[in-house]
C-alpha cells in the first residue's frame, strides 16, 4: 500500500490518479476527508502534519510514502518529523517532494527550507528518492481571473527563464520512484525541456486561447505588500523575494534530462499543458438576462 500526503494538492492528487490507473493500492491523507475529491478506489484518511500521531496512524501499514510537507521557515522541523514518522511507522521507501535550487547558496534562505527534510530522508535508513522540480506549469492558474477579465498577468521574474515543468511529469517520476527500487538514493532535478520567461508562458497561453495575454512587471515592494496582506511572515517574504530575484538574474535557467531518464520520454511542453487546461482560462459564462 502506498501512502500519499498532499493528496488533494497539485502533485499529490496527480500521483494518486496515476497510481490508481496502474492498479495500485493507495491511501490518501487529507485534513478533511469529507471535502477531498479523490478516485473511489482510494482509501482516504484524516491526517494533519501538526498532529504527528494522526500521521503515524495514517502511515501504519504503508510500504511506501510520498511526502509533500509544507514549505517555509516555520515548517522545517515539521518536514523533518514527517519523514522520521514515516520511517518509524515501518515505511520502507520514501519519496520526498523538494524544490529545484535546494542547497544552492545563491538562492539564499528559500534554498534551505527543504534541506532538513531532505537530510532526514537521506538519514532515514530506508530507500529514499528526492524530487527537486522546477517551476510548475500550473502556477499560471493564479492568472485565471486576470485572463478571464482580459487583464495583464503579473511578472515578478523579469526576463529570467525557468525549465517550467508539467505537474503530470513530476507525478509520473514520483510514481516510478514509489514503485521501483532502482531510484533509491537519487536526487532528481526535474525540468521541462525549454527555458521560458513569464512573458513566454503568457504568449503561449495567448496562442492557445486565441486572445491577447499581456504582462506587467511587479516591483518587489508591491509583491512584499501583497504577501504581507496574505498573512505571510517577514522571513517567508524575504525568502520568496530572494527566490524571485534568483530567477530574475538567471539562477534558475536550468534544464536537465532527469524526466527523460526516468520516464523514457521527453517532458511535456508548456504548450501541451496550456492546451490541456485551456478551459480553466475560458471566460466565465455571462448570466443571460431573463
Ligand atoms: N509551485 C511550484 O512551482 C513548485 C516548484 C518546486 C517545488 N514545489 C514544492 O511543492 C510543494 C507543494 O506541493 P503542491 O504544490 O503539490 O501542494 P499544494 O497544491 O499547495 O497542496 C498542499 C497540500 O498539502 C496538504 N496540507 C496542507 N497543510 C496540511 C497539514 N497541516 N497537514 C496535512 N496536509 C496538509 C493539503 O491537503 P488538505 O488541505 O486536503 O489537508 C494539500 O493536499 C512545496 O514543498 C514546494 O516547495 C513547488
Amino acid at each position: 500500500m502506498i501512502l500519499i500526503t498532499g493528496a488533494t494538492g497539485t502533485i499529490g492528487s496527480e500521483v494518486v490518479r496515476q497510481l490508481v490507473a496502474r492498479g495500485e493500492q493507495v491511501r490518501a491523507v487529507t485534513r478533511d476527508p469529507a471535502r477531498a475529491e479523490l478516485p473511489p478506489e482510494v482509501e482516504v484518511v484524516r491526517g494533519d502534519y501538526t498532529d504527528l500521531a494522526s500521521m503515524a496512524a495514517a502511515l501504519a501499514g504503508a510500504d511506501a510514502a510520498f511526502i509533500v510537507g509544507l514549505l517555509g521557515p516555520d515548517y522545517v522541523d515539521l518536514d523533518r518529523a514527517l519523514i522520521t514518522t514515516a520511517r518509524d511507522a515501518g515505511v520502507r521507501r520514501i519519496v520526498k517532494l523538494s524544490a529545484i535550487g535546494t542547497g544552492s547558496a545563491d538562492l539564499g534562505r528559500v534554498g534551505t527550507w527543504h534541506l532538513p527534510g531532505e537530510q532526514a530522508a537521506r538519514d532515514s535508513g530506508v530507500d529514499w528518492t528526492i524530487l527537486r522540480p522546477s517551476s510548475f506549469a500550473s502556477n499560471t492558474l493564479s492568472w485565471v481571473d486576470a485572463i478571464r477579465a482580459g487583464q495583464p498577468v503579473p511578472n515578478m521574474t523579469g526576463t529570467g527563464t525557468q525549465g517550467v515543468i508539467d505537474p503530470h511529469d513530476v507525478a509520473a517520476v514520483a510514481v516510478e520512484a514509489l514503485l521501483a527500487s532502482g531510484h533509491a538514493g537519487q536526487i532528481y532535478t526535474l525540468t521541462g525541456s525549454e527555458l521560458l520567461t513569464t512573458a513566454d508562458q503568457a504568449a503561449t497561453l495567448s496562442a492557445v486561447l486565441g486572445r491577447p495575454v499581456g504582462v506587467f512587471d511587479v516591483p518587489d515592494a508591491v509583491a512584499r505588500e501583497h504577501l504581507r496582506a496574505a498573512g505571510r511572515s517577514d522571513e517567508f517574504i524575504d525568502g520568496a523575494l530572494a527566490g524571485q530575484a534568483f530567477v530574475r538574474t538567471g539562477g534558475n535557467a536550468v534544464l536537465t534530462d532527469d524526466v527523460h531518464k526516468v520516464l523514457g520520454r521527453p517532458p511535456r511542453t508548456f504548450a501541451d499543458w496550456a492546451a490541456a487546461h485551456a478551459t480553466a482560462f475560458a471566460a466565465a459564462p455571462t448570466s443571460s438576462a431573463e
Side-chain angles (χ1 to χ4, degrees), residues 2 8 26 34 36 41 51 61 87-88 97 134 147 149 155 168 179 188 194 212 214 219 232 236 258 260 271 278 289:
I2 302 174
T8 60
V26 176
E41 299 90 336
D51 169 12
R87 190 266 321 273
D88 294 347
L97 184 61
S134 190
I147 290 177
N155 177 21
H168 176 93
L179 293 179
Y188 292 126
E194 48 190 354
R232 295 299 198 168
F236 181 94
D258 284 0
H260 202 155

Side-chain angles (χ1 to χ4, degrees), residues 111-154:
T112 68
W113 291 342
H114 276 297
L115 275 180
E118 285 197 0
Q119 194 58 46
R122 296 161 74 131
D123 295 342
S124 65
V126 302
D127 283 358
W128 58 267
T129 307
I130 291 167
L131 308 183
R132 292 179 175 171
S134 190
S135 178
F136 299 165
S138 52
N139 293 345
T140 57
L141 288 170
S142 67
W143 298 348
V144 160
D145 288 347
I147 290 177
R148 283 181 177 178
Q151 289 166 359
V153 300

Side-chain angles (χ1 to χ4, degrees), residues 6-12 29-32 47-50 55 68-71 97-100 114 133-136 139:
T8 60
T10 304
I11 305 298
V29 181
T30 170
R31 287 165 298 175
D32 188 353
D48 190 320
Y49 302 148
T50 60
M55 293 306 300
V68 175
L70 295 171
L71 181 68
L97 184 61
S98 178
I100 196 167
H114 276 297
S134 190
S135 178
F136 299 165
N139 293 345

Side-chain angles (χ1 to χ4, degrees), residues 219-282:
D220 271 5
V222 174
R224 180 175 291 279
E225 281 318 307
H226 193 72
L227 287 165
R228 204 170 264 150
R232 295 299 198 168
S233 68
D234 283 342
E235 192 180 357
F236 181 94
I237 295 169
D238 288 345
L241 293 184
Q244 303 290 8
F246 181 70
V247 175
R248 214 159 36 232
T249 54
N252 203 27
V254 174
L255 294 179
T256 74
D257 61 358
D258 284 0
V259 169
H260 202 155
K261 272 196 302 206
V262 175
L263 302 181
R265 60 158 176 84
R268 294 182 174 188
T269 65
F270 182 72
D272 294 335
W273 181 90
H277 293 83
T279 52
F281 295 91

Side-chain angles (χ1 to χ4, degrees), residues 19-90:
L19 285 170
V20 167
R22 288 170 70 151
E24 298 295 331
Q25 194 189 339
V26 176
R27 184 186 290 163
V29 181
T30 170
R31 287 165 298 175
D32 188 353
R35 281 186 44 207
E37 292 176 13
L38 290 159
E41 299 90 336
V42 175
E43 178 190 1
V44 183
V45 298
R46 189 200 157 271
D48 190 320
Y49 302 148
T50 60
D51 169 12
L52 287 174
S54 73
M55 293 306 300
L59 284 153
D63 303 299
F66 183 58
I67 303 293
V68 175
L70 295 171
L71 181 68
D74 300 333
Y75 302 118
V76 290
D77 290 335
L78 210 56
D79 212 20
R80 186 167 31 212
L82 206 48
I83 301 277
T84 50
T85 301
R87 190 266 321 273
D88 294 347

